[in-house]
Amino acid sequence: MFARTLRRLIPVGRLARLMSSVPDPLVGLAAENAEFYDIAKKFADAEMLPHAAEWDRNEYFPVDTLRKLAGMGFAGIYVPDAYGTGLTRTAAATIFEALSTACVSTTAYLSIHNMCAWMIGAYGSEDQCKKFLPDLCSMNRFASYCLTEPGSGSDAASLRTTAVRKGDHYVLNGSKAFISGGGMSDVYVLMARTGTDGASGVSCI
């Protein structure tokens, strides 16, 4: 119905041109970010696109390809430059957009790994940064983010997994779902309730 309505309103030739046109992804980007896009796009076309369908079909986690991306500085893009690449979120979004033209699922995981590394870099202690970030930014170790639960998805503040302090450690009790990289990752950044109901009672373990 929608397509028929469009055909009545817009001449067929013009409609075909509109539907086949793709905006230039470099429009509005600073020169540095345009260069990051170009670098990532060339890698994506050469290293990801030829294999993406097979990876998805076989549910394959491309460790070697991810580590090549880490070697380009793409595993800790906005992690402070003491450990990571120290770029902006705009640069990260530009890189992820370029990579996702070849393989959305691999890029989605890479974005999550970056987020985990950034959280440790931004909020972890110096000892935690020294322990985790070198291996995460080289992807010698992989990271996943554990937020979604069977009973709470977009309403993350209603999560029920708890973390109770016992001496020098926490005891976790609950369930998580839809963990990108789950089963492959070495480090899990997990959201759990350590306080009262609502967002203010949630901590990161």
Side-chain angles (χ1 to χ4, degrees):
M1 176 65 75
F2 179 68
R4 288 199 299 271
T5 302
L6 276 179
R7 282 196 291 271
R8 285 198 299 270
L9 296 175
I10 305 173
V12 173
R14 185 182 173 202
L15 180 61
R17 289 194 298 274
L18 287 172
M19 295 181 72
S20 63
S21 63
V22 177
D24 183 349
L26 302 183
V27 170
L29 287 180
E32 182 181 48
N33 288 333
E35 185 175 354
F36 292 144
Y37 183 95
D38 186 57
I39 292 169
K41 184 69 166 65
K42 287 177 179 176
F43 180 92
D45 289 345
E47 300 284 344
M48 298 169 70
L49 187 59
H51 312 292
E54 183 181 357
W55 291 345
D56 281 350
R57 186 165 52 249
N58 296 327
E59 300 180 0
Y60 178 73
F61 188 77
V63 170
D64 291 341
T65 302
L66 286 165
R67 286 180 174 157
K68 287 180 182 179
L69 288 164
M72 299 166 66
F74 292 170
I77 299 172
Y78 47 95
V79 172
D81 57 13
Y83 295 98
T85 309
L87 299 179
T88 65
R89 292 295 185 101
T90 301
T94 301
I95 291 165
F96 295 147
E97 181 179 353
L99 295 175
S100 68
T101 63
C103 185
V104 173
S105 56
T106 300
T107 306
Y109 172 75
L110 182 67
S111 73
I112 291 165
H113 177 94
N114 269 269
M115 180 170 59
C116 294
W118 169 77
M119 291 177 70
I120 294 171
Y123 300 108
S125 67
E126 185 59 32
D127 285 346
Q128 288 171 328
C129 289
K130 288 179 179 177
K131 178 179 180 180
F132 293 110
L133 290 181
D135 280 343
L136 291 181
C137 290
S138 64
M139 279 190 153
N140 286 331
R141 301 172 80 187
F142 295 97
S144 288
Y145 180 79
C146 309
L147 175 63
T148 303
E149 298 182 359
S152 63
S154 57
D155 181 16
S158 67
L159 65 81
R160 306 313 305 169
T161 295
T162 60
V164 177
R165 187 72 178 261
K166 297 290 185 181
D168 62 353
H169 63 279
Y170 284 89
V171 176
L172 298 172
N173 186 17
S175 299
K176 295 293 180 181
F178 305 125
I179 301 171
S180 297
M184 295 297 298
S185 286
D186 309 286
V187 177
Y188 291 86
V189 177
L190 183 141
M191 301 300 153
R193 189 163 301 285
T194 55
T196 58
D197 290 344
S200 63
V202 177
S203 298
C204 178
I205 305 294

